[in-house]
């Protein structure tokens, strides 16, 4: 297995693979000039490479971090094919990147209220079924932070009602993970699996039978768009699916460690989770470096 095959296996797009290859070629060029073999790269050497990028190539901190993430991914590959024993880029990042404050967040109680207040009644059998399906989706959005693409890939077998858990599928941008289902979701999920989904399966006979929510990715987006419109009627603060997911992640960070939230959110990189950290003193988000800062 070569590096490109490794990236494809991990669901990276061809455009992303092209960027990663360019970054690794840049590293290889520097290693060659330094007389360092790939399997001899150390943490200290990587510090020198980061300094080179910042001082000689004039890279900003964010760009340098992107290069370091590419190095980490490449050495994860080298470890998998047993060409190196450890990853010198593990946990390395640069301190100091700042992002704008995230506003208009929903509190945990507000998110729960969206679920409890979502109406499913309708005189028409089909529309009543779709509303019950939509409430299941709302639950996955406000309790597990599911995205539209994850919803599209979700299969019935991933719902472990007997264990009170759900296996969230991996996508090109997120890792797979297993999350707890909330007690409030259980009845709706059980009724969806036993009654609603079999009924909808007959109405959507041409859709993939293994899908938990029937529909193409465009249809899934239509479902979530309609849901957001209905949620706005419950709470005018609601703006989008991404706002709901951002609120969930920020709330998680108030109760769990950074690494645990990275897992719960399905983030591939710890830096993706760090962007959601709230700095109450300065009212800014700051990437918190818990590893090896480069000053």
């Amino acid at each position: 297995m070569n590096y490109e095959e490794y990236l494809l296996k991990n669901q990276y797009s061809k455009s992303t693979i092209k960027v990663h290859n360019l970054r690794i070629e840049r590293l290889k060029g520097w290693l060659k000039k330094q007389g360092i073999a790939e399997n001899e790269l150390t943490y200290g050497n990587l510090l020198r490479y980061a300094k080179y990028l910042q001082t000689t190539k004039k890279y900003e901190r964010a760009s340098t971090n992107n290069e370091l993430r590419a190095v980490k991914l490449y050495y994860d590959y080298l470890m998998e094919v047993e060409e190196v024993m450890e990853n010198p880029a593990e946990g390395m990042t640069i301190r100091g990147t700042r992002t704008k404050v995230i506003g208009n967040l929903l509190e945990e109680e507000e998110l729960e209220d969206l679920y409890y207040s979502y109406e499913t009644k309708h005189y028409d059998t089909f529309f009543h079924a779709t509303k019950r399906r939509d409430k299941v989706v709302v639950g996955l959005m406000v309790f597990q932070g599911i995205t539209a693409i994850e919803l599209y890939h979700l299969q019935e077998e991933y719902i472990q009602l007997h264990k009170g858990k759900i296996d969230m599928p991996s996508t090109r941008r997120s890792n797979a993970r297993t999350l707890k289902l909330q007690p409030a979701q259980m009845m709706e999920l059980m009724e969806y699996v036993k009654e609603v989904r079999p009924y909808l399966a007959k109405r959507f006979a041409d859709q993939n039978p293994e899908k938990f929510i029937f529909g193409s990715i465009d249809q899934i987006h239509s479902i979530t768009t309609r849901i957001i419109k209905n949620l706005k009627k419950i709470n005018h603060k609601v703006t989008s699916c991404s706002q709901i997911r951002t609120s969930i992640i920020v709330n998680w960070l108030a109760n769990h460690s950074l690494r645990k939230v990275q897992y719960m959110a399905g983030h591939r990189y710890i830096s993706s989770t760090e962007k959601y950290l709230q700095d109450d003193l300065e009212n800014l988000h700051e990437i918190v470096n818990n590893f090896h800062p480069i000053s």
Side-chain angles (χ1 to χ4, degrees):
M1 176 176 60
N2 60 33
Y3 185 47
E4 185 166 336
E5 291 170 339
Y6 173 80
L7 293 176
L8 287 170
K9 185 185 77 169
N10 284 278
Q11 300 181 316
Y12 285 86
S13 67
K14 290 184 178 180
S15 59
T16 301
I17 291 173
K18 184 177 180 180
V19 173
H20 276 288
N21 280 330
L22 288 173
R23 287 170 176 162
I24 295 308
E25 287 304 313
R26 191 156 31 245
L27 171 70
K28 289 180 177 180
W30 182 84
L31 289 174
K32 185 175 181 179
K33 289 181 179 179
Q34 303 298 315
I36 302 171
E38 281 186 20
N39 60 359
E40 295 176 349
L41 179 64
T42 64
Y43 170 73
N45 292 333
L46 198 52
L47 282 175
R48 289 170 52 206
Y49 180 60
K51 283 290 187 182
Y52 159 78
L53 293 174
Q54 288 184 293
T55 57
T56 304
K57 304 291 286 186
K58 305 300 181 184
Y59 278 28
E60 297 292 335
R61 285 168 173 165
S63 297
T64 305
N65 274 328
N66 288 336
E67 297 288 321
L68 292 176
R69 280 193 287 271
V71 174
K72 180 187 180 303
L73 185 61
Y74 182 63
Y75 275 81
D76 282 342
Y77 156 70
L78 292 180
M79 287 179 65
E80 181 160 324
V81 297
E82 299 182 348
E83 290 191 20
V84 298
M85 296 297 293
E86 59 183 21
N87 192 331
E90 184 68 44
M92 183 179 286
T93 187
I94 295 178
R95 185 191 300 273
T97 306
R98 291 177 180 268
T99 56
K100 294 180 180 179
V101 65
I102 302 174
N104 196 33
L105 295 174
L106 299 168
E107 300 292 337
E108 185 174 350
E109 294 78 9
E110 292 179 299
L111 291 168
E112 291 180 0
D113 185 60
L114 293 177
Y115 178 74
Y116 291 124
S117 302
Y118 200 86
E119 186 58 63
T120 61
K121 293 180 181 179
H122 199 282
Y123 66 88
D124 182 88
T125 303
F126 172 70
F127 287 109
H128 177 53
T130 58
K131 280 179 172 289
R132 293 173 71 185
R133 174 205 61 198
D134 291 355
K135 182 156 187 173
V136 167
V137 174
V138 172
L140 296 173
M141 289 169 60
V142 303
F143 293 123
Q144 284 80 36
I146 197 169
T147 64
I149 190 67
E150 289 171 338
L151 191 62
Y152 170 70
H153 288 292
L154 192 64
Q155 297 184 19
E156 183 179 5
E157 64 185 84
Y158 299 166
I159 311 296
Q160 304 181 53
L161 288 174
H162 62 293
K163 293 183 179 180
K165 296 180 179 180
I166 177 173
D167 295 325
M168 303 291 278
S170 63
T171 70
R172 283 198 303 113
R173 295 186 176 183
S174 64
N175 290 332
R177 67 269 191 205
T178 299
L179 299 175
K180 290 182 180 179
L181 293 168
Q182 296 302 311
Q185 296 175 271
M186 297 300 290
M187 185 59 70
E188 294 286 349
L189 278 167
M190 192 175 301
E191 291 179 352
Y192 176 76
V193 170
K194 292 184 177 181
E195 302 172 13
V196 180
R197 188 175 178 277
Y199 169 76
L200 292 177
K202 296 177 182 178
R203 295 295 296 261
F204 300 111
D206 59 329
Q207 302 292 344
N208 294 331
E210 75 279 2
K211 291 295 177 75
F212 188 63
I213 303 295
F214 301 113
S216 65
I217 186 60
D218 289 336
Q219 290 170 323
I220 295 296
H221 280 298
S222 295
I223 290 172
T224 55
T225 298
R226 182 177 62 253
I227 286 174
I228 291 298
K229 288 181 179 179
N230 291 331
L231 292 179
K232 286 180 180 179
K233 298 175 184 177
I234 299 172
N235 187 331
H236 67 88
K237 288 171 60 179
V238 174
T239 59
S240 64
C241 294
S242 60
Q243 177 221 20
I244 290 175
R245 177 170 162 82
T246 295
S247 299
I248 293 165
I249 296 173
V250 170
N251 291 334
W252 281 344
L253 282 166
N255 299 292
H256 303 289
S257 68
L258 192 63
R259 283 294 184 185
K260 184 171 183 179
V261 175
Q262 179 191 6
Y263 172 79
M264 294 170 70
H267 290 153
R268 290 185 181 273
Y269 306 110
I270 192 70
S271 58
S272 297
T273 315
E274 289 172 328
K275 293 175 183 178
Y276 293 89
L277 286 168
Q278 298 284 83
D279 187 337
D280 294 330
L281 294 177
E282 297 182 6
N283 199 32
L284 286 172
H285 288 284
E286 181 175 3
I287 290 184
V288 176
N289 180 7
N290 292 324
F291 310 103
H292 306 289
I294 302 173
S295 58

